[in-house]
């Protein structure tokens, strides 16, 4: 099949990106990644052990040759912190493709869009390829694309909340206007949430808690693999029209 | 894997039952069944050519050795009609496992539950194994199980409407009380609808229009195969709890 | 204004019926009824003290000359119990206009529609005017109207749940087909739920827990009075069409 | 009653602000304002005739002594345009209390938050009291409050769409954090939408199309008056808890 996700020139068969760091162990994380069929994992550079050989190393479980590592700036609250973090990542692992997130506060973990845009500009100037966590505001999504971000990653709902896609209209508007991939990042709680994101025309889904905090993370990872494929295929297949009656000749008066 | 759907002693790997009759051709129908990974197809005995060799025969495309045929009583508006139809099916093809539907009116195609219960009793007395299309009323679902139906098939929404699962609370109540399989029958419009049905704990999904009226029915059939697996696995995996804030320590005041 | 609710020949200005029995005191109940602008109250004949003068009497607080008393059969699980209860009510207070409910089980308090229909027929034969609590199944709603019930009272969701109108499509279908008043009975949790019921074209709303278990019942009663008027007026005013874009000339591709 | 809306030191009994300009005539507009019980109307300075005595004047129909005029910057796409517009308004009518909106594009009419924040700062420096139309991003809402805006006016959904409150979680987060009034501005389509906005704790609602494009605008205006009161009272009354079963002792397994 030729339906590939292309981000900054890299091709992926899988449209499901998973996190690292909330799992009980690197071994379980690796098992989940395998079950999810993921080809990309995102890594909180400040939190994950990437270099200290005296302790377990993520790279020993998730082979960087098999998985594209996507360093992220989780926990950064200013553009400067985020940029410093990603420079370190580039020095440590040569990573240029990165996920930028500049958070506003601990309570919501929502992005500070002003700082995010500022950081994106600076990072792109330094040669980074920036996938960017953002609010679901289509206007800001366009600004981020205009300055050169290579993927737009709007939140479905609060990070770690599992509330799903709260505003499908905004996600849809972002999909319609974007020329780079749109990847829902944050909010997915269960399989149908991921399917809905893909049915809206998104190019991929990134999730962490939904898998890591399921009772059986590996099984949920497998569920998510199927959900993303299901949603993608349904989007491409073109769904039936909704009807108001079993007999479609007499439409319900538009009120429901 | 040992996660099997068992209906009246028959075992199935697939939890997706598809229809026949709304497809452009039997060939397309067969291709969709293949893509859906279906092992059971439902057949409107009164509408589908099962015996006239001078015309195309469904059985030449969907091999009854490969697919379990589930004769249904689509278009029957009284218990007597339904019973007569299924007797003919038994004579013609030896089918004992059947899907009963007794409709109330053309506009909604909703079941007449009174007639449905009456027909179910009579059919079971005659030795049929009755899977039964019903409203999402948990009380009537229990009555149908009590008289011996081998699968409860509540509607998600109007037949052919694609409106999805309108009342998840009722479906959930039916799942909780039922000892026989619960299979959502009617209303699924796209992949996420099927996933939601399975996440509620249903044992399977039956659909017709969602696949047959998609722009690309075969692709949608494939989407549905993945959606049903996704929902089932997510249900078995046990989803994360929903949270009101990114920081779960300070719950939103219960209002949303 | 001439927008009146007419039930079995009786005219009401208010479309909000409230319960009795979950309030801390008869005095509070009366205050809530006043704030709600209610003209009808429903009374569980088996539970409320209507005749023992040695204890507080409901009628001393809610004057039967001001409020139409609607005896109900809360707690009855068979047609016979319900009929016996209402006969007693008729003997005690001369009440002929009654609310029938025949429940199926304690867990859901859902109506047993088979028993309900049977009881309705018997009561109507005995000369009662029967308002009937029922599921949201349009087919059974029609049967109840056909045997002569003078108001159809479908549930919005589980009694006492506050989950709102779970299936607006069914409520709408009942409204469209009914020639007698349709009054949502059960499920309303807050003001917007009541407004939604009325916007769907219902003729009235009956509620108990939403007011009685609010932190400030009298204030919530006032909220409900306004909500029912708001929903009714909005229904009669005819709402604007929904649009997919701020610029209505380019509709969103029908997917949301 | 002492439940007053206070904006920049001005007190209002009504929490419903209505628009001008989409009505068939100034006379109808005035009738709707009367029915809505509004005390404030918003006026697109660039579009409404405020000074040319040779044509009908809005002020002849909506008496500025009775209604607080709220000049807005509808149709402005840059901070500079908005500021220029409001300076003119101040010169023409002495209006200092204004509604700022800086739009991003014609298709969505969404605010450009970057320009909006910039304009807000400049206007406040010039002594304006700025009520500000904004996205439902709580982070930007806080920035706007921090620079001194006197009311935060997040959109419920697209201007003129009637889609209601698409993301109640965001509105709730804004309400929780704000010390100035929060007024939902855009998206309300019918009475229940307005009630929901108020139940979330908003201090008021601004609407235009929902009334102006109803079949009967005056009746819808009356509906909205009641809806806003209903939602406000329900919020203050404190709604009942939602329950998963009629018998609350056995909670549904958290999945619905």
């Amino acid at each position: 099949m030729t339906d590939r996700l292309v981000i900054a020139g890299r091709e992926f068969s899988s449209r499901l990106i998973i996190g690292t760091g909330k799992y009980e162990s690197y071994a379980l994380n690796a098992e989940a990644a395998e079950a999810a069929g993921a080809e990309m994992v995102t890594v909180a550079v400040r939190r994950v052990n990437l270099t200290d050989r005296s302790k377990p190393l993520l790279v020993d479980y998730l082979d960087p040759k098999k998985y594209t590592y996507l360093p992220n700036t989780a926990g950064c609250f200013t553009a400067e912190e985020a940029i410093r973090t990603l420079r370190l990542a580039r020095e440590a692992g040569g990573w240029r493709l990165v996920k930028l997130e500049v958070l506003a506060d601990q309570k919501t973990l929502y992005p500070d869009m002003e700082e995010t845009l500022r950081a994106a500009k600076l990072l792109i100037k330094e040669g980074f390829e920036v996938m960017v966590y953002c609010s679901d505001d289509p206007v800001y999504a366009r600004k981020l694309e205009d300055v050169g971000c290579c993927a737009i990653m709007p939140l479905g709902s609060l990070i770690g909340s599992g509330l799903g896609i709260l505003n499908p209209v905004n996600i849809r508007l972002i999909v319609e206007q974007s020329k780079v991939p749109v990847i829902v990042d944050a909010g997915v709680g269960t399989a149908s949430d991921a399917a809905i994101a893909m049915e809206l025309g998104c190019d991929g889904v990134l999730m962490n808690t939904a898998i890591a905090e399921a009772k059986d993370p590996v099984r949920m990872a497998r569920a998510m693999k199927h959900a993303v494929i299901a949603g993608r295929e349904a989007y491409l297949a073109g769904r039936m029209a909704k009807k108001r009656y079993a007999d479609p000749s007499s439409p319900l008066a538009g009120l429901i």
Side-chain angles (χ1 to χ4, degrees), chain A:
Chain A
M1 218 178 344
T2 57
D3 179 41
R4 293 298 183 98
L5 170 61
V6 182
I7 303 175
R10 292 160 178 82
E11 271 197 28
F12 302 91
S13 303
S14 163
R15 292 172 178 279
L16 174 53
I17 307 171
I18 76 161
T20 56
K22 280 203 175 180
Y23 292 88
E24 267 176 43
S25 66
Y26 288 158
L28 185 62
N29 199 336
E31 214 185 327
E34 181 71 32
E39 295 169 353
M40 192 188 284
V41 295
T42 184
V43 179
V45 184
R46 301 169 126 204
R47 292 180 187 152
V48 163
N49 179 22
L50 290 167
T51 50
D52 179 357
R53 291 238 143 253
S54 72
K55 290 182 197 150
L57 279 168
L58 184 63
V59 293
D60 294 338
Y61 292 83
L62 286 160
D63 182 354
K65 291 199 188 87
K66 183 171 173 195
Y67 296 99
T68 299
Y69 270 54
L70 183 67
N72 70 53
T73 59
C76 294
F77 288 82
T78 65
E80 280 66 32
E81 272 183 290
I83 292 164
R84 206 159 47 233
T85 300
L86 293 175
R87 281 184 190 142
L88 286 173
R90 182 157 59 176
E91 283 159 31
W95 294 298
R96 245 171 35 100
L97 181 67
V98 296
K99 185 188 142 197
L100 171 66
E101 45 183 282
V102 184
L103 305 177
D105 59 73
Q106 289 283 4
K107 181 180 164 190
T108 66
L109 300 182
Y110 272 162
D112 182 320
M113 293 306 295
E114 222 182 348
E115 283 290 283
T116 299
L117 180 60
R118 195 164 66 83
K121 286 180 196 168
L122 292 168
L123 286 167
I124 289 162
K125 200 180 282 176
E126 293 195 16
F128 284 97
E129 289 164 325
V130 179
M131 301 171 67
V132 60
Y133 168 63
C134 54
S135 75
D136 65 1
D137 176 357
V139 180
Y140 249 111
R142 193 165 45 219
K143 288 177 196 264
L144 290 165
E145 184 172 354
D146 286 347
V147 302
C149 290
C150 66
I152 302 299
M153 305 183 77
L155 53 86
S157 49
L158 296 145
I159 288 181
S161 69
L163 294 175
I165 309 293
L166 290 178
N167 190 333
V169 171
N170 272 1
I171 298 296
R172 177 85 194 164
L173 289 169
I174 293 172
V175 165
E176 289 183 345
Q177 78 186 7
S178 299
K179 290 187 175 55
V180 297
V182 175
I183 296 170
V184 162
D185 174 12
V188 164
T190 188
S192 54
D193 296 335
I196 288 168
M198 298 305 293
E199 287 166 359
L200 288 167
C202 291
D203 300 276
V205 179
L206 187 154
M207 66 184 68
N208 190 19
T209 315
I211 295 176
E213 293 192 3
K215 288 202 187 62
D216 180 343
V218 175
R219 188 156 216 164
M220 188 56 93
R222 193 162 55 234
M224 290 300 183
K225 179 181 72 179
H226 288 290
V228 168
I229 295 171
R232 177 66 180 174
E233 292 290 303
Y235 173 72
L236 293 175
R239 67 160 290 162
M240 64 178 286
K242 289 187 184 179
K243 293 164 204 160
R244 297 313 187 184
Y245 287 114
D247 172 5
S249 61
S250 50
L252 194 61
L255 287 182
I256 299 170

